[in-house]
Amino acid sequence: MAGLTAAAVAAVAFLAYQASANAPDSVASSPGPKSSASASAQPSAKPRPPAEPLAVPAASGQGERVVYALKDRRVWLVGEDDKASRTFRVMPSPISPPPGSYRVSSRSGTVQGSDGVPIEHVVRFANVDEVAIGFSAAQDGSMVAPDPGSKTGGVRMKRPDGDAMWTFATVGAKVVVVP
């Protein structure tokens, strides 16, 4: 009898560990009252599967490309296999390109941004109303929101992300902007 009880406790512990390991961070780490071991009288909603962090937006093309999602403020570096090797948050500029497909037209190692901030790894891919649009990283590592009234086109990212963009997006590389 003791052996069966020990096996049952071990099985429950294993299943509890497995459930917590697969829970989204927002649920697994949220503070709150401890749940009891008894079942709830009310039915619970089905848990959603965790979002794939490197999931490339649908309708963003195929093949090697940079994908920039305006609403999500996120960029994906996508390889030939249509899988993202990296994704990261960005701070958009006041002037954004319309959704569509572009090509990297020029790059600069280090320059002064149109907002006066020293920037590096500038990857330009579009022009909107005579304003160059491109990805860059501030040399001081900042990603502050730009003045909404300014006519700038710099999409800022953290320095390690700027390094990755610089390596990935050479002149002629495809950039797809999605809503």
Side-chain angles (χ1 to χ4, degrees), residues 90-169:
V90 295
M91 179 59 66
S93 59
I95 298 175
S96 294
S101 185
Y102 303 87
R103 294 277 176 189
V104 173
S105 56
S106 68
R107 298 172 4 130
S108 298
T110 57
V111 296
Q112 182 93 4
S114 57
D115 58 359
V117 175
I119 56 176
E120 64 186 8
H121 297 150
V122 181
V123 176
R124 295 176 201 88
F125 63 92
N127 281 296
V128 175
D129 297 329
E130 298 182 25
V131 174
I133 309 295
F135 302 110
S136 64
Q139 290 180 0
D140 66 4
S142 65
M143 279 184 39
V144 297
D147 173 7
S150 65
K151 284 189 79 169
T152 61
V155 180
R156 295 285 163 79
M157 59 195 65
K158 295 184 186 226
R159 291 184 83 183
D161 299 325
D163 293 344
M165 176 69 76
W166 183 256
T167 301
F168 187 87

Side-chain angles (χ1 to χ4, degrees), residues 12-149:
V12 169
F14 173 76
L15 292 173
Y17 168 76
Q18 199 173 28
S20 69
N22 291 324
D25 290 341
S26 62
V27 174
S29 63
S30 62
K34 301 285 184 195
S35 61
S36 68
S38 63
S40 172
Q42 296 180 347
S44 62
K46 287 185 178 180
R48 284 189 285 170
E52 173 61 41
L54 293 179
V56 179
S60 67
Q62 294 181 332
E64 188 172 293
R65 64 201 182 278
V66 174
V67 177
Y68 173 30
L70 297 170
K71 187 171 72 171
D72 292 336
R73 297 179 172 198
R74 181 166 290 278
V75 166
W76 290 261
L77 304 181
V78 183
E80 267 306 312
D81 60 359
D82 288 322
K83 293 184 180 179
S85 60
R86 185 180 188 110
T87 182
F88 46 89
R89 305 271 300 156
V90 295
M91 179 59 66
S93 59
I95 298 175
S96 294
S101 185
Y102 303 87
R103 294 277 176 189
V104 173
S105 56
S106 68
R107 298 172 4 130
S108 298
T110 57
V111 296
Q112 182 93 4
S114 57
D115 58 359
V117 175
I119 56 176
E120 64 186 8
H121 297 150
V122 181
V123 176
R124 295 176 201 88
F125 63 92
N127 281 296
V128 175
D129 297 329
E130 298 182 25
V131 174
I133 309 295
F135 302 110
S136 64
Q139 290 180 0
D140 66 4
S142 65
M143 279 184 39
V144 297
D147 173 7

